[in-house]
Amino acid sequence: MNILIFEYITGGGMLGQPLSPSLEREGDLMLRAAVNDFQQLPDCSVFTLRDKRLGNGVEGAETIVIEPGEHYSEKLEQLACKKDALLIIAPEYDDILYSLCKRCSGQTFKLLNCEIETIRLTSNKYATYRHLLAHNVPQIPTCLTSDARHLGGEQFIMKPVDGAGCTEVSLLNNRSELQAAADLPDRNQYIFQPYVQGTHASLSLLCLQGRCSVLSCNEQYIREGNGCLQWVKCNVNAFERDRFTPFCDRLVQALPGLCGYVGVDVVITGNQILLVEINPRLTTSYVGLGSVLCVNPAELILKCFLDRQLPGLVPANMGTVMVDLVACHAA
């Protein structure tokens, strides 16, 4: 099987624009982890697209370089049509992930991503919040700028409605800062939430038609400072999975278009698990997944899409793996 893995940042998605160092590091970690896992499968050949400015290819894959002046989306579509499967790793903002998946859906190759309308919904944090309210999924209260003054709490979060991770996430330390932020003229594309103190965690799920297998539950380390939040690292396989299973079951039943690998961010406060956001794609936690599971996660992803089946309880070892975005490695 020939598999093309395309990562938006390291694959040339931003040709003609400056490369973001943090997104470049994160994207490169995910790309290399996915290539490593897929190339270990029997009879599987892996290909990648890569921005010429990033230099060397990716070990384990045949690298196709995107030259200056070439349009990455057109080259992606042309190459994918010659492969058996395509996995797109891209951020949700500006509908990048949705647009790429829509362009590549309905082709002869297998697209190893969520259903496109579910990607479109979950790329909008406020639309997702409203949708999940009707399904009684526990969430952090979320509102648009017009209702920000009615939020309860002492500290608040402001972030883009279509943001990815901690990009442009602002920490507002009091109600005066909240009101000042809400009054700025360019805040129509932002959402506001109370800042809930607790343990930050992410859930690595394998999803199919309203069901899921919880692959790992990971502790996230978020740094506060200078009025913003920064994702620093995560400890993959830090928590027992059983605690999160009922929450995950309710979540995926409300979004049956989630398919394949999905990352879910939550905050644990007391006995409550509250949804922060859904990432309908590979996430940074995936980087450590192959080391903590007793099975190759790429094999699970392929079976999900090709055989339309989820595994039972996926065996995991007792260890953890720290994925450090600042140091750009997993250990």
Side-chain angles (χ1 to χ4, degrees), residues 81-125:
C81 289
K82 301 174 184 177
K83 310 304 177 189
D84 301 306
L86 167 66
L87 173 63
I88 296 175
I89 310 167
E92 296 91 315
Y93 60 76
D94 292 336
D95 273 338
I96 293 169
L97 179 61
Y98 166 73
S99 298
L100 287 171
C101 289
K102 183 178 181 181
R103 181 165 187 156
C104 294
S105 64
Q107 305 291 336
T108 55
F109 55 84
K110 180 65 68 174
L111 182 62
L112 307 179
N113 288 85
C114 294
E115 294 182 7
I116 58 171
E117 288 307 317
T118 299
I119 292 174
R120 188 178 192 178
L121 172 63
T122 53
S123 295
N124 184 304
K125 295 180 184 359

Side-chain angles (χ1 to χ4, degrees), residues 64-230:
I64 298 95
V65 175
I66 301 180
E67 302 285 349
E70 290 188 306
H71 200 287
Y72 72 89
S73 58
E74 291 178 359
K75 190 155 187 175
L76 169 64
E77 192 172 10
Q78 291 167 3
L79 283 168
C81 289
K82 301 174 184 177
K83 310 304 177 189
D84 301 306
L86 167 66
L87 173 63
I88 296 175
I89 310 167
E92 296 91 315
Y93 60 76
D94 292 336
D95 273 338
I96 293 169
L97 179 61
Y98 166 73
S99 298
L100 287 171
C101 289
K102 183 178 181 181
R103 181 165 187 156
C104 294
S105 64
Q107 305 291 336
T108 55
F109 55 84
K110 180 65 68 174
L111 182 62
L112 307 179
N113 288 85
C114 294
E115 294 182 7
I116 58 171
E117 288 307 317
T118 299
I119 292 174
R120 188 178 192 178
L121 172 63
T122 53
S123 295
N124 184 304
K125 295 180 184 359
Y126 187 68
T128 303
Y129 172 75
R130 296 292 301 176
H131 175 82
L132 294 178
L133 272 181
H135 292 83
N136 298 314
V137 175
Q139 306 175 80
I140 297 176
T142 302
C143 69
L144 299 175
T145 305
S146 57
D147 294 320
R149 64 174 60 87
H150 301 303
L151 280 177
E154 299 178 357
Q155 290 180 296
F156 309 91
I157 293 294
M158 179 183 73
K159 56 187 175 184
V161 71
D162 62 350
C166 286
T167 304
E168 293 188 62
V169 175
S170 299
L171 175 61
L172 309 173
N173 289 304
N174 52 55
R175 194 162 290 278
S176 295
E177 290 186 10
L178 170 67
Q179 188 61 57
D183 286 343
L184 292 174
D186 63 342
R187 289 302 183 252
N188 289 332
Q189 296 303 312
Y190 284 75
I191 57 170
F192 293 83
Q193 299 172 321
Y195 183 42
V196 177
Q197 298 288 344
T199 301
H200 297 277
S202 68
L203 312 174
S204 298
L205 310 182
L206 191 67
C207 304
L208 179 66
Q209 297 176 326
R211 298 175 294 117
C212 73
S213 291
V214 182
L215 302 180
S216 71
C217 302
N218 323 299
E219 184 171 7
Q220 293 187 320
Y221 296 83
I222 308 293
R223 180 184 297 159
E224 301 176 16
N226 299 320
C228 65
L229 299 182
Q230 180 185 8

